[in-house]
Amino acid sequence: MFTKEKTNICKGVGILLLLFHHMFRLQSYLTDHNVKFYLLPEQQVPKIAVSARVCVWIFVFLSAYGLMYKFIHLPDEKKKVFIARQWFSLMKPFWLVFLIFSMIYCLIGNSLVDLYQGNILMFVLDGLGWADFFHTPLLAGVFWYMCLAQIIILLIPVTHTVLNSLSNYGLFSMSFIVIILLQLFPNSISSIYGGDYLNYLLVFLLGCLFACHDTMNKLSSIKMSGFQRSIVCIALLLTTLLLRFFRFKLIGVDQWRICGAVDSLSAVAICLLFGVFLSVPYLSKGLAFLGSYSGIMFLIHSMIGHWFPEIVYISRIGMVNYFAWIVVSLTLSVLIVFLKKWIRYDWLLDRLYNRISKTTGEFTKKVNEALGSQS
């Protein structure tokens, strides 16, 4: 079955690709820190790092799949509060990270007043994860993803309705709609950090479609011999490598805007490879552990690398620095999770949420009763 552990394995792969992409995608990063490689051709490293930028598509696919799967299996009564509950669940860890690193930002000699141009609204927008949407300052560039993640949550109920209405047409009609949208709206919600949000539409819809048809669980239940499983894994790995090579060749010449589709297919292939067919116990456990902290690692890794490069670029050997970034990001993520438990952060916020929900529900009920009596 495609369990939470399997999802974490895929997230672990995604976060490794993300850190590799961010550390080595620019030749200037290698030159400025005098980084050398001994197992990889040095001139090819930035190209490999650029091709590793499939990580966000992996996270979008897994988020869409998990959210849609949860939504489908909820009773009708709980579907009414699905968006509110999932939004709150998404934002809880982000708010703690935002608070901690806002304080660190000030402690290392920077000014939040300067960053947000003395505008408290800009600070609030960043804290709510919508700064990228309004093109206002972000404490960290990676915070752009919080905006996309919230949009994904908002789209789940309506996407479920649309997919049900298109159930007789399936993947073909869905792909056709995406292609048309990409041509008609070349500049939709665009981010200097994450690019055009429409580039993630296909992988989002694929995640939703897989959830509606329970595809990952069905594939996971197929009985295979070791040889057959090896053949499938090799095929998926080769497919991923070919797609990444093709994607790199499209840079600068993507007139039909199909890069997002190539990235989407790459992400699905990676999730099938590591989440369904590949079974290597020690590797899987390591990736699952990494994936369980990937959400916080995603949020904090860039600030660590940019604010404290001396604890990341500790060697002239590129891969040593890469593993240092992984270890530092993972260690700090573990400490943040420990802090959450120690101060009972989730418990406090859950109580606040329940209190607000109860008060809102009672107010709504009274309003409806008052309107009913007047009519």
Side-chain angles (χ1 to χ4, degrees):
M1 299 293 287
F2 192 67
T3 60
K4 184 176 181 179
E5 182 180 6
K6 294 287 188 179
T7 301
N8 283 336
I9 290 172
C10 298
K11 288 180 179 179
V13 175
I15 200 66
L16 290 177
L17 291 172
L18 178 70
L19 266 66
F20 191 87
H21 168 70
H22 280 172
M23 176 165 270
F24 301 126
R25 71 186 187 278
L26 297 178
Q27 183 64 45
S28 59
Y29 287 6
L30 309 183
T31 305
D32 292 346
H33 297 282
N34 196 24
V35 172
K36 303 295 181 182
F37 289 86
Y38 299 99
L39 298 178
L40 294 173
E42 191 169 324
Q43 67 277 12
Q44 297 299 320
V45 171
K47 296 179 181 179
I48 297 172
V50 169
S51 298
R53 191 181 179 268
V54 67
C55 38
V56 175
W57 281 264
I58 293 174
F59 292 127
V60 171
F61 176 79
L62 295 171
S63 296
Y65 181 90
L67 288 168
M68 182 60 75
Y69 190 87
K70 182 181 294 185
F71 182 79
I72 290 170
H73 292 86
L74 281 176
D76 291 339
E77 189 63 30
K78 290 189 176 182
K79 285 181 179 179
K80 297 177 182 178
V81 295
F82 171 82
I83 290 178
R85 288 190 177 277
Q86 291 303 139
W87 176 83
F88 187 69
S89 178
L90 169 73
M91 299 305 294
K92 279 192 299 183
F94 172 69
W95 286 331
L96 182 60
V97 168
F98 183 75
L99 178 62
I100 291 172
F101 278 87
S102 292
M103 292 188 293
I104 293 175
Y105 185 79
C106 295
L107 289 173
I108 61 177
N110 298 305
S111 170
L112 289 175
V113 175
D114 292 340
L115 175 65
Y116 296 110
Q117 303 168 26
N119 191 329
I120 189 65
L121 180 59
M122 291 184 180
F123 175 78
V124 172
L125 284 174
D126 200 13
L128 290 175
W130 285 98
D132 192 59
F133 184 86
F134 292 99
H135 299 287
T136 54
L138 289 82
L139 183 64
V142 291
F143 286 1
W144 77 269
Y145 184 77
M146 296 307 299
C147 180
L148 178 61
Q150 291 177 79
I151 292 174
I152 289 173
I153 292 173
L154 292 171
L155 288 176
I156 289 296
V158 67
T159 303
H160 180 253
T161 302
V162 171
L163 289 180
N164 280 341
S165 65
L166 295 175
S167 59
N168 294 329
Y169 302 96
L171 185 60
F172 175 78
S173 61
M174 187 175 68
S175 302
F176 179 76
I177 291 171
V178 172
I179 291 172
I180 294 299
L181 286 174
L182 286 170
Q183 309 313 315
L184 292 177
F185 303 100
N187 295 301
S188 58
I189 305 173
S190 186
S191 167
I192 62 173
Y193 303 103
D196 194 330
Y197 282 26
L198 276 179
N199 287 329
Y200 307 101
L201 180 58
L202 180 59
V203 77
F204 164 75
L205 291 173
L206 285 171
C208 292
L209 191 67
F210 274 44
C212 289
H213 294 283
D214 202 19
T215 304
M216 302 299 274
N217 283 328
K218 289 179 180 177
L219 291 174
S220 298
S221 64
I222 297 175
K223 301 297 182 182
M224 287 185 175
S225 66
F227 176 75
Q228 291 172 324
R229 191 172 293 274
S230 299
I231 294 298
V232 173
C233 289
I234 292 171
L236 286 170
L237 178 60
L238 291 176
T239 299
T240 302
L241 293 175
L242 287 172
L243 286 170
R244 300 321 300 154
F245 177 78
F246 180 54
R247 171 65 175 84
F248 184 81
K249 292 297 183 180
L250 284 174
I251 295 176
V253 295
D254 186 22
Q255 297 179 352
W256 293 97
R257 303 185 70 200
I258 62 173
C259 281
V262 177
D263 290 324
S264 299
L265 296 176
S266 301
V268 174
I270 290 170
C271 289
L272 289 175
L273 174 59
F274 288 93
V276 176
F277 294 106
L278 186 65
S279 180
V280 182
Y282 290 108
L283 175 64
S284 297
K285 286 186 180 297
L287 289 172
F289 179 76
L290 198 62
S292 65
Y293 293 96
S294 61
I296 297 179
M297 289 179 68
F298 187 106
L299 294 173
I300 69 174
H301 76 278
S302 66
M303 290 179 284
I304 296 171
H306 292 151
W307 298 356
F308 307 103
E310 64 276 5
I311 64 174
V312 172
Y313 294 94
I314 60 175
S315 168
R316 291 183 58 188
I317 302 175
M319 295 309 293
V320 171
N321 296 334
Y322 173 59
F323 286 115
W325 205 6
I326 295 171
V327 170
V328 172
S329 300
L330 177 60
T331 302
L332 190 53
S333 298
V334 171
L335 291 175
I336 290 174
V337 171
F338 175 78
L339 176 65
K340 282 175 60 181
K341 294 179 179 178
W342 184 61
I343 65 175
R344 305 179 74 183
Y345 174 80
D346 286 339
W347 179 79
L348 290 170
L349 262 66
D350 286 340
R351 286 198 65 183
L352 177 62
Y353 174 84
N354 292 332
R355 179 68 60 85
I356 294 173
S357 297
K358 184 179 179 180
T359 304
T360 304
E362 291 174 350
F363 176 76
T364 304
K365 183 179 179 180
K366 290 180 180 178
V367 170
N368 290 334
E369 289 174 351
L371 292 174
S373 62
Q374 290 178 4
S375 61

